[in-house]
Amino acid sequence: MRIAMISEHASPLATLGGVDAGGQNTHVAELAAALAGDGHQVRVYTRRDDPGLPEVAPLTDGVDVVHVPAGPPVTLPKDDLLPHMGAFAEWMAADWRGNGRPDVAHAHFWMSGLAAVTAGRACGVPVVQTYHALGAVKKRHQGAADSSPPGRIGYERALGRAVDRVVVQCTDEMNELIRLGVPRHRMTLIPSGVNQARFRPDGPAFAKDRTRVLTVGRLVERKGVEDLIRALPAVPGAELVVVGGPPPSEMDGDPYVRRLRRAAESNRVADRVRLVGAVSPEDMPAWYRSADVVAATPWYEPFGLTALEAMACGVPVVATAVGGLLDTVVDGVTGDLVPARDPAAISSALRRLLTDDVRRTEYSAAAADRAVQCYSWERVAARLAMMYAGVTGVAAATAAGRSAAAAPTAAEVVA
């Protein structure tokens, strides 16, 4: 099957850690590679982030990344890209006419969906939509600080009715879309996956000299790092290691890093808070394995990939009960769920888990098992390929044995 993936702001080739580079970039890269591993041909259409980049660059065998020369380069924040989606769609449609029409287009993020629907209608290509984040949720939590373009929520509602299928990543997202007015029968729940060749319990770990709580993510307010810092005084003896943000050489000049440092000083835990900055993807498994507990405490979260990566490494998770974390973390089995924006609840959960070796060992085993059984990229790709086949009429080119592997387990929620 020929698959076009549209990821207008999140290139699978991007360096992770920036404001617009995170979970979606990883999702697109891993999904494209897994689909190619099953014999599909994948082309990922993303914006040009450097005028000197080649038009087409390989990601892996069977996957090409197409840098669409429509609009300005990546220096614009993603929220400013809406006016350029028409040109993006026109260029993509011309590419499909000249280089072969795909069997299906899978759009990632709402602006990608606008471009995909426009090009798809021009070329007769069915479109599948994954939102990754919803404007209604962002508006609810950020209020006046929400920088989304005007009309985003309306566009997302219209997309849900216009595309051939909506892929939702968690139950919470499905419920949000139903409230938005997207028909339930148009949705299929297929979560993100985790790279189990990289993220696994065995392997090297970075050294530590005290109990370690690790949190991983972009340094933006909604990730809840300040809540963790406020919780730390009630977790005696533990250090908080924060991985993510700008490169180490740029940390001192970052305004939010300075804000976090002030928070650590005012809470008298500056000697127990370590801001690492961006690290290489190759080092991430060793960081996870070095932790006694991983804390994922965002105010809202469409999926929560870092919690899943930690689970795959056999590390228990304390997470806020929001979004996709409600699906991935089984409360009292693979970790503990706590209310968002509640430092007292966070500290209580961390303290209880860090002082109970038996509970922590049980959580670790269950977390690794759940990641393996429910969230392999091979399973995700096989289920998506079957869904693609349903909307295109093109038989999924997977091995016969994959149909059994793609069958949902009792632990999965399947739409």
Side-chain angles (χ1 to χ4, degrees):
M1 190 179 299
R2 292 168 59 92
I3 301 165
M5 285 195 184
I6 299 87
S7 182
E8 99 295 342
H9 75 275
S11 169
L13 296 173
T15 301
L16 301 184
V19 173
D20 288 335
Q24 183 178 326
N25 307 69
T26 299
H27 178 99
V28 171
E30 295 284 4
L31 176 57
L35 286 165
D38 268 356
H40 304 287
Q41 294 179 301
V42 183
R43 282 169 74 87
V44 180
Y45 293 83
T46 192
R47 62 180 176 175
R48 176 186 54 185
D49 61 359
D50 185 328
L53 283 175
E55 184 176 291
V56 180
L59 176 67
T60 187
D61 289 344
V63 182
D64 286 331
V65 177
V66 181
H67 297 110
V68 177
V74 77
T75 48
L76 272 185
K78 71 174 185 288
D79 288 330
D80 294 337
L81 291 177
L82 180 59
H84 304 285
M85 288 301 99
F88 194 110
E90 290 176 6
W91 191 96
M92 191 162 55
D95 183 69
W96 292 353
R97 294 187 189 102
N99 294 311
R101 185 179 70 91
D103 298 303
V104 65
H106 188 162
H108 297 266
F109 201 62
W110 68 278
M111 280 189 277
S112 295
L114 298 179
V117 167
T118 302
R121 287 177 175 172
C123 299
V125 177
V127 176
V128 172
Q129 175 71 42
T130 298
Y131 288 97
H132 289 279
L134 290 172
V137 179
K138 186 177 180 183
K139 185 70 174 178
R140 185 182 311 140
H141 288 276
Q142 294 193 0
D146 181 11
S147 58
S148 298
R152 172 178 174 174
I153 296 173
Y155 282 127
E156 290 178 338
R157 179 187 295 111
L159 273 174
R161 297 169 175 172
V163 298
D164 296 89
R165 200 71 181 163
V166 175
V167 176
V168 296
Q169 295 183 285
C170 66
T171 308
D172 186 69
E173 182 185 15
M174 180 180 292
N175 293 334
E176 289 283 351
L177 285 169
I178 290 171
R179 286 192 287 270
L180 192 64
V182 177
R184 167 66 180 81
H185 69 271
R186 301 181 70 86
M187 303 181 214
T188 298
L189 198 162
I190 303 177
S192 188
V194 64
N195 186 327
Q196 296 171 4
R198 291 180 56 222
F199 298 100
R200 59 184 192 275
D202 60 300
F206 288 113
K208 63 176 183 287
D209 56 12
R210 63 170 73 182
T211 302
R212 175 171 292 171
V213 177
L214 177 75
T215 191
V216 179
R218 289 175 288 153
L219 295 188
V220 292
E221 188 176 25
R222 72 173 180 88
K223 291 297 184 179
V225 179
E226 288 173 86
D227 296 327
L228 277 170
I229 291 173
R230 296 186 186 104
L232 198 60
V235 190
E239 68 172 350
L240 173 63
V241 174
V242 182
V243 171
S249 61
E250 300 174 14
M251 292 284 280
D252 289 345
D254 186 88
Y256 197 67
V257 169
R258 293 197 294 268
R259 177 170 161 176
L260 293 176
R261 287 172 175 166
R262 288 195 298 270
E265 291 169 358
S266 64
N267 284 274
R268 300 182 179 180
V269 291
D271 61 328
R272 293 197 284 133
V273 174
R274 179 181 174 193
L275 303 177
V276 175
V279 303
S280 70
E282 292 75 21
D283 283 342
M284 277 311 310
W287 278 112
Y288 283 122
R289 295 186 200 110
S290 77
D292 297 282
V293 174
V294 165
T297 56
W299 301 350
Y300 65 95
E301 188 63 65
F303 183 71
L305 182 59
T306 60
L308 186 55
E309 290 173 346
M311 289 166 56
C313 290
V315 183
V317 176
V318 169
T320 44
V322 297
L325 295 169
L326 288 163
D327 285 2
T328 51
V329 179
V330 181
D331 190 33
V333 178
T334 68
D336 291 321
L337 293 173
V338 298
R341 306 176 80 162
D342 190 338
I346 294 169
S347 64
S348 178
L350 288 172
R351 191 170 58 248
R352 183 174 62 249
L353 193 51
L354 290 171
T355 57
D356 190 337
D357 293 343
V358 173
R359 180 191 292 258
R360 204 163 62 252
T361 299
E362 291 173 346
Y363 281 10
S364 297
D369 183 64
R370 179 167 173 77
V372 168
Q373 295 299 321
C374 301
Y375 294 101
S376 72
W377 275 114
E378 292 76 16
R379 176 182 295 278
V380 171
R383 290 172 61 191
L384 273 171
M386 289 193 293
M387 187 270 296
Y388 294 156
V391 300
T392 64
V394 178
T398 55
R402 285 299 175 89
S403 60
T409 69
E412 291 178 293
V413 182
V414 181

